[in-house]
Amino acid sequence: QTASRLGRPRLPAVLPRTMSAPAAQTPTCIAIIGAGHVGGPTAVMIAHKCPHLKVLVTDANPRKLAAWQSDKPPVYEPGLKEVLQIVRGTNLFFTPDLPSVVRQAQLIFVAVTTPLKSAGIGAGMAPDVRFWESVARQIGAVADEPKVVIERSTVPVRTARLMAQLLRPPVSKVRHEVLSNPSFFASGTALVDLASPDVVLIGGEDTPTGRAAVAALSSVYAHWVPMRNIKTSGVWSAELAKLTANAFLAQRIASMNAISAVCEASDAEVGEVAKAIGTDSRIGSKHLQAGIGFGGACYPTHLRNLVYLCRHHDLPEVASYWQAVLDMNTWQRERFTEEIVRTLFNTVAGKKIAVLGFAYKRDTSDIRETPAKYVCARLLDEGAELSIYDPQVSRTAIEQALGAAAGWQDVVIDDRPDVPTTPVSPGTAAARLLLAGSSAAAAEAARSAANAVKLSIESDAYLACAGAHALVVLTDWDEFKTLDYSRIYGTMKRPCFVFDGRCILDAPALRRIGFSVRAIGSAAHKVA
């Protein structure tokens, strides 16, 4: 899909390349380590706005680098592909050669993942910075002259201090400066946010070399960002500001989801409540959309980081406050799933449920911590047969996400045309038969014996809905608003149920067609 199809202006039209450079001295080469949802768009924008700069991107995953050099980038953002095609091979280059990248660049953005620890102290709450540490050690071992190393991915408070220990003698060959430059752009609007940021925050040490490093990075952004929008602070303040911003935004979503439950109990309309309070200038209208909860790599992870930080500093009341936001988010998606089961006569076993959307929000292919993963996994546990459609999320990504959410150690898929695509629990007879390349009949028998789940990923919304008992909207893609629901109604089993987890559908219109509709926080939750 193009940006214009999604109702947004084509980005090249709103992102004019700034050919004239400001008077301040700027680097000649910039490196970005980590080609994911943060590093990739950041690299594309810097290359686009600073055509005089050479931008080098490296990543430990060669497949990801290859995807960035193909017609289908590994990250979907409206307009990203079009802008990428302008700069790729001109002043933006992708390479697996990290040592070469480090030696050439004066500024090095580090945008590697910082997931939660899966084991040990702080498991499930504390950030895992081993990838950041590994990169810091590699920079220190390779660089023969001072570099400015920039935290771009969100990291725990005081990470810069820890990284500085690895980027200064005797661990590294020379002393490097460490800055914090957290990304404040949102998935789905990344290029627009990067092109016209409300703020660019740069945290550095208040020393001569620290101030020089801040000035060097500021001069890069100054090619397209007004100086009044470039703010400086201490490193630790910049690190905490990112966590705080995400915590506040997540809190707003959780607050509206809490009110959505009150609306359902009192026959109020959550959309009307949100519109009313959004007109109050003290509150504003953003992030007041009720739904099945927030997701993505930032809000859930950074809230857990914040809770862990508060507990570490013996602030239990503060930790409990932010933990309540996480608890509300979990409760919202659980009660939505339970409502589906309860409405479908207290069982979904053997029933086909069409799922529209798997990304955690529209206009992105990002499925990290997507609420859809948890809703789908719960429905699979209840015995439902799921048929999933998302316009940008790949089949493989959905299958792997559901395998992890369901607790499978692996997901075994047989892609032969005569065998339905079905993940099975490893070690079962079904898994062994699929791996052995058995016949479709034998595999089906094994699946039945192992009570394997039923899952299909469709490339078309209408195919996903055909023969379904219920339709569940889990992502707010614009195209779901304009589907031919009369056509869909004609292909579904009776009675036809719609569960709108994003409050984007026209419930009265669906009722007139014949659907029984339930929507979060709305009078439409009543079955017609």
Side-chain angles (χ1 to χ4, degrees), residues 504-521:
I504 62 172
L505 302 182
D506 186 341
L510 292 177
R511 282 204 177 103
R512 289 191 293 271
I513 293 172
F515 288 101
S516 293
V517 182
R518 292 189 178 229
I520 285 179

Side-chain angles (χ1 to χ4, degrees), residues 102 117 144 467:
V102 169
K117 292 181 66 176
D144 295 318

Side-chain angles (χ1 to χ4, degrees), residues 395 413-422 434 438-441 443-444 447:
R395 170 190 295 269
I413 306 296
D414 192 311
D415 289 327
R416 289 171 295 157
D418 59 337
V419 180
T421 299
T422 307
L434 286 174
S438 61
S439 68
E444 181 61 33
R447 277 192 290 269

